Structure formats: structure tokens, C-alpha cells
Amino acid sequence: MFRILLKSKIHRAMCTMADVEYEGSIEIPSDLMDAAGIIGGEKVLVTSATAGGRLETYAQPGEPGTGKIIMNGGAAHVIKAGERITIMAFALSQEPVEAKKIVCNDKNEIIRKGK
């Protein structure tokens, strides 16, 4: 039996910008994507601890080291700048998956890595 399991998590990140005019996706600095094991174009679930919004989109690599996490397109109506978010990616597997997890501070710097 295949199961859908958490494989990547960026926890307590800060949405720094929301751009309704962009065609879609969430832009995440590539250093954070690498640390969490998320690749460009990968489907992600984004949740807001601030307002409770949830949405699915795809990850787009942004400039590393900037800390800029940008909600683009219609998703910018659901999750806005200044909201505390969690970004998750999942895998279809028959075996247990050890998720790569990172925790960020207000500047989207990694403060902890874990499993």
C-alpha cells in the first residue's frame, strides 16, 4: 500500500510579500528549499498560523540568503505579508519517510534543523 507522507517542512517562516499580479506559486529562497529538500516546481501545502489560511501551490526558487518568501497570484488573497506560515511537501511511498524539517525565525533564517 502506498501512503502520502510528509517529506519536507519549513516551519514558522514569515511571508514577507504577497503579489496578486504575479501568475502564481510561492517563491522561497533556494537555500531554504535545499535545506528542506524541496525542488522547484514541487507541489507544496502552505498553512498560515496567523490567519488559518491553507492552500496548495508550487515552489519557485528565489534568491538564496534574502529571506524573501513571496505568495504570488490568487494565493496572495489567502496568505498575506506578515503572516507566520508553514510550507510542507509530501511523498508517495510504501516505506517510512524521514522528513527534512527546518524552523525559521522572523527573518526566515534557519534556527533549527530536525527530523
Side-chain angles (χ1 to χ4, degrees):
M1 169 188 348
F2 283 95
R3 298 170 192 244
I4 300 171
L5 303 169
L6 178 69
K7 72 159 204 72
S8 305
K9 182 177 180 181
I10 301 173
H11 190 62
R12 299 202 45 80
M14 183 67 67
C15 178
T16 58
M17 192 173 147
D19 183 1
V20 175
E21 299 305 319
Y22 189 85
E23 61 188 60
S25 77
I26 181 172
E27 184 177 315
I28 307 166
S30 61
D31 56 324
L32 296 182
M33 289 178 64
D34 291 343
I38 298 171
I39 63 170
E42 186 169 359
K43 180 179 176 180
V44 292
L45 171 65
V46 185
T47 63
S48 170
T50 305
R54 300 175 72 86
L55 59 92
E56 291 180 342
T57 188
Y58 63 93
Q60 178 178 356
E63 186 75 26
T66 63
K68 293 180 183 176
I69 295 181
I70 306 168
M71 292 303 309
N72 290 311
H77 290 291
V78 179
I79 296 177
K80 299 176 177 19
E83 292 188 30
R84 178 76 66 188
I85 61 173
T86 298
I87 304 162
M88 295 164 278
F90 299 85
L92 189 62
S93 179
Q94 289 182 313
E95 303 297 323
V97 172
E98 198 165 316
K100 286 180 129 182
K101 300 176 185 175
I102 61 172
V103 179
C104 295
N105 63 13
D106 289 348
K107 296 178 184 175
N108 291 325
E109 299 165 327
I110 298 171
I111 58 170
R112 189 170 68 243
K113 293 182 181 183
K115 296 179 181 179

